[in-house]
């Protein structure tokens, strides 16, 4: 299924349309991460963190910044992209996308690009909010930006798959609630997995989120529980798997074309 | 020979669950015509349109548009096809203007405020351009969907029940719009349940039922072929037999001999002339009648007839 060239204008149209859709609800989009981040800092940073001296050489408050960022990035990227594709399926508006001269690549770039950009904006908001509560440094800013981008893209792709797979609103919610959030909490968002005794430390290493959180943490603090290259390859691997799944979905028309 | 713009051969669609919605459909659409597809609910009209527009994956057969194979050169072909779906489905929170602009971009065209204004004005939507679509009435929503489908100036336009739920005035207005599109050279395929709509607008008519095309014919030929005159004379007194002077007319009697029924004509007015002549002869012969009921059979009669034969 190909022929013809890449439809750049179509890609831009999807991207623009999706971003505008997000901005229609910009109060929710911007305010909710600010609120969530503030709450976490008040509870974990101030209340609990004051009793924990340092983790891996940084204050506890600074230690949880990348964890919080990851927590929000994962849920926002996933939910943005999944709603983005699920809603037109639900309302029937997807007919236009399916009848247009856009294929797998254009659709993905448009939807995932928009979801990722929105995640970046949210990341910036979180990092700004965090400065109100803690002093933190970003040890490797370029890597940090790259990592944030990669993670946003990977989970936007994941959300896209979720939005295609879901055949009801509950299903759309169930994966984030049942898998993503627990794995993120268990993945060292608020603690170093070195704090866990064996065998739990080894068990924790099965959780893929551990590698993501630690990769991001390395770009902030310069140290982490696992190697940065392992983190990076895990993230890239996840991204590649998602792309492959979506390619198959488009090839077979699963859940998109009757 | 007129150019074929859409060539469907052996198109079959079996949905999951085994329902055969299209059964070996062959259909050729001519460039520049308005083609009306008629058929009862569930006949397969939407499935047929969906197969061409990329919403449905055909189980078999081939579709060519503009000489391009839709499976292979779908990008190129789809860029020139427009679709107004049966259901009012679009992002209802979006503003009219933005929605139409999005459609144009999606089909790969550079933005053109002039063209979009033109489309919106032609559908009387210009004043509503900044309204959210959900705030419009049903008929206006349908116009927005039409505007979206026209935003990329398609050469081939599918209208799936364009006038469903639209009031009489708006319907007439829409017919004018569609006529205007034809004048600009757009080929139009529409489905409808209103026979008068097909009769009014279409150049050719196709009838589909249970996934099979029963008939495709020029509307005027169809009307001529079957568009006949029926006239029923209710007689003052039963007539034992038809007088020989009337034997040249296609006449028969009801069983109780109280009615004389004429069935004839070819859709060109011959029927009306014959009935007039017949009336004079009856009066001349002193055969009295108390009522005369006549009507020319319409596409509707033909359609109903076809459907009944199927059963
Ligand atoms: N997605 C689907 N899955 C399974 N069956 C379907 C699907 N879509 C349509 N059908 C069935 O295929 C048949 C043809 O449906 P279609 O929508 O093409 O009919 P139609 O001629 O457009 O009818 P209407 O005049 O009611 O719009 C129907 O029996 C319908 O139930
Ligand atoms: Mg239909």
């Amino acid at each position: 299924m190909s022929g013809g060239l890449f439809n750049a204008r179509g890609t831009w149209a999807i991207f623009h349309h999706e971003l505008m859709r997000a901005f229609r609800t910009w109060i929710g989009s911007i305010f909710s991460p600010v609120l969530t981040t503030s709450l976490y800092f008040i509870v974990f940073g101030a209340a609990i963190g004051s009793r924990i001296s340092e983790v891996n050489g940084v204050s506890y408050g600074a230690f949880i910044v990348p964890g919080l960022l990851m927590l929000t990035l994962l849920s926002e990227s996933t939910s943005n992209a999944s709603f983005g594709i699920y809603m037109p399926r639900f309302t029937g508006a997807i007919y236009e996308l399916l009848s247009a001269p856009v294929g797998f690549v254009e659709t993905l770039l448009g939807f995932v690009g928009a979801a990722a950009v929105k995640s970046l904006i949210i990341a910036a908001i979180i990092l700004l909010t965090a400065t109100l509560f803690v002093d933190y440094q970003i040890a490797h800013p370029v890597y940090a930006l790259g990592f944030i981008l990669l993670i946003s893209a990977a989970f936007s792709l994941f959300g896209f798959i979720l939005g295609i797979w879901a055949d009801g609103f509950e299903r759309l919610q169930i994966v984030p609630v049942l898998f993503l959030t627990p794995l993120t909490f268990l993945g060292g968002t608020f603690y170093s997995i070195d704090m866990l005794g064996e065998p739990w430390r080894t068990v924790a290493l099965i959780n893929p989120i551990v590698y993501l959180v630690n990769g991001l943490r390395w770009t902030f603090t310069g140290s982490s529980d696992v190697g940065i290259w392992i983190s990076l390859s895990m993230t890239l691997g996840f991204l590649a798997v998602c792309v492959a799944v979506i390619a198959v979905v488009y090839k077979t028309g699963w859940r998109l074309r009757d | 020979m007129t150019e074929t713009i859409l060539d469907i051969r052996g198109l079959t669609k079996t949905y999951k669950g085994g329902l055969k919605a299209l059964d070996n459909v062959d259909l050729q659409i001519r460039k520049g015509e308005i083609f009306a597809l008629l058929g009862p609910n569930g006949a397969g009209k939407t499935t047929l349109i969906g197969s061409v527009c990329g919403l449905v994956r055909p189980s078999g057969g081939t579709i060519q548009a503009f000489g391009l194979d839709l499976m292979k050169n779908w990008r190129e072909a789809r860029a020139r096809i427009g679709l107004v779906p049966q259901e009012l489905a679009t992002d209802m929170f979006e503003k009219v203007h933005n929605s139409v602009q999005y459609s144009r971009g999606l089909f790969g065209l550079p933005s053109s405020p002039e063209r979009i204004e033109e489309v919106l004005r032609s559908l009387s939507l210009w004043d509503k351009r900044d309204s959210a679509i959900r705030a419009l009435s049903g008929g206006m929503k349908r116009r927005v969907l039409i505007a979206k489908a026209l935003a990329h100036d398609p050469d081939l336009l599918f209208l799936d029940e364009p006038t469903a739920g639209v009031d009489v005035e708006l319907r007439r207005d829409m017919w004018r719009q569609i006529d205007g599109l034809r004048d600009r050279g757009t080929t139009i395929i529409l489905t409808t349940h209103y026979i008068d709509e097909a009769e009014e607008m279409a150049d050719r008519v196709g009838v589909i039922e249970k996934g099979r095309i029963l008939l495709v014919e020029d509307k005027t030929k169809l009307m001529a072929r079957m568009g006949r005159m029926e006239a029923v004379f209710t007689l003052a007194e039963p007539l034992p037999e038809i007088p020989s002077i009337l034997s040249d007319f296609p006449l028969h009697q009801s069983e109780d001999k109280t009615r004389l029924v004429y069935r004839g004509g070819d859709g060109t007015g011959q029927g009306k002339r014959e009935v007039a002549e017949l009336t004079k002869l009856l009066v001349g012969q002193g055969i009295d009648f108390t009522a005369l009921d006549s009507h020319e059979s319409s596409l509707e009669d033909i359609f109903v007839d076809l459907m009944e034969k199927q059963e």
Side-chain angles (χ1 to χ4, degrees), chain A residues 258, chain B residues 15-16 19 21 39-48 86 161 193:
Chain A
D258 286 313
Chain B
Y15 279 113
K16 253 183 285 172
L19 189 123
N41 287 130
K45 303 181 293 295
T46 301
T47 304
L48 179 61
Q86 182 172 3
E161 298 192 30
H193 286 287

Side-chain angles (χ1 to χ4, degrees), chain B:
Chain B
M1 183 57 210
T2 32
E3 202 180 322
T4 299
I5 197 167
L6 178 66
D7 192 355
I8 298 174
R9 300 209 180 250
L11 184 63
T12 298
K13 173 65 192 178
T14 311
Y15 279 113
K16 253 183 285 172
L19 189 123
K20 207 170 206 181
L22 292 176
D23 190 358
N24 203 13
V25 167
D26 285 317
L27 186 61
Q28 282 73 43
I29 303 297
R30 298 171 189 158
K31 190 164 186 253
E33 74 174 337
I34 297 185
F35 185 90
L37 193 58
L38 295 173
N41 287 130
K45 303 181 293 295
T46 301
T47 304
L48 179 61
I49 291 178
S51 305
V52 178
C53 293
L55 309 185
V56 171
R57 296 167 70 83
S59 319
T62 61
I63 307 173
Q64 289 201 337
F66 325 104
L68 300 164
D69 184 334
L70 270 174
M71 290 306 248
K72 294 201 195 89
N73 302 311
W74 56 272
R75 226 185 268 268
E76 216 178 328
R78 277 191 208 161
R80 298 171 61 187
I81 300 177
L83 165 66
V84 181
Q86 182 172 3
E87 311 290 341
L88 287 174
T90 189
D91 184 345
M92 292 288 167
F93 292 95
E94 190 145 41
K95 288 181 178 165
V96 172
H97 184 275
N98 296 348
S99 183
V100 176
Q101 193 169 325
Y102 165 67
S103 301
R104 186 174 166 90
L106 200 56
F107 279 76
L109 293 189
S111 75
S112 164
E114 306 79 41
R115 179 66 190 129
I116 288 175
E117 177 171 347
E118 202 183 331
V119 169
L120 289 178
R121 281 193 191 281
S122 77
L123 290 157
S124 316
L125 282 169
W126 182 244
D127 294 337
K128 305 273 186 198
R129 62 189 179 280
D130 288 322
S131 307
I133 297 172
R134 81 197 147 108
L136 302 180
S137 74
M140 291 307 251
K141 283 188 184 117
R142 190 162 294 280
R143 286 174 179 224
V144 174
L145 292 193
I146 296 178
K148 281 166 78 67
L150 293 180
H152 67 281
D153 302 312
D155 296 320
L156 181 58
L157 179 65
F158 287 91
L159 297 159
D160 201 351
E161 298 192 30
T163 56
V166 164
D167 70 27
V168 179
E169 201 179 325
L170 215 58
R171 256 176 87 192
R172 300 228 158 254
D173 198 50
M174 222 164 256
W175 292 356
R176 270 197 298 279
Q177 303 282 349
I178 293 171
D179 245 2
L181 284 173
R182 188 230 314 255
D183 294 343
R184 294 181 43 166
T186 313
T187 307
I188 295 163
I189 298 171
L190 57 88
T191 72
T192 178
H193 286 287
Y194 302 109
I195 315 267
D196 56 333
E197 196 157 277
E199 205 168 327
E200 171 86 24
M201 304 216 310
D203 301 309
R204 286 197 307 153
V205 176
V207 177
I208 182 170
E209 207 216 9
K210 298 202 182 97
R212 287 177 202 207
I213 300 274
L214 301 183
L215 165 154
V216 171
E217 201 159 332
D218 257 32
K219 184 189 63 186
T220 43
K221 273 199 204 133
L222 190 64
M223 307 274 294
R225 182 151 72 84
M226 298 203 246
R228 294 155 81 89
M229 185 87 181
E230 184 177 87
V232 182
F233 296 88
T234 307
L235 304 172
E237 282 165 16
L239 197 65
E241 58 180 14
I242 298 174
S244 55
I245 190 169
L246 303 179
S247 60
D248 283 347
F249 293 99
L251 280 178
H252 67 267
Q253 292 181 290
S254 63
E255 251 167 48
D256 58 2
K257 316 272 186 201
T258 58
R259 277 181 315 224
L260 206 55
V261 181
Y262 166 93
R263 281 210 190 95
D266 55 4
T268 64
Q270 185 209 1
K272 283 181 184 154
R273 280 194 306 277
E274 286 194 344
V275 171
E277 215 173 301
L278 189 59
T279 312
K280 283 186 270 183
L281 280 172
L282 287 175
V283 173
Q285 292 293 305
I287 302 172
D288 197 12
F289 53 91
T290 56
L292 168 57
D293 181 19
S294 73
H295 83 282
E296 213 165 13
S297 66
S298 62
L299 207 46
E300 179 154 4
D301 299 317
I302 298 167
F303 183 69
V304 170
D305 218 41
L306 259 174
M307 290 295 120
E308 276 167 0
K309 273 191 205 134
Q310 278 297 304
E311 270 154 26

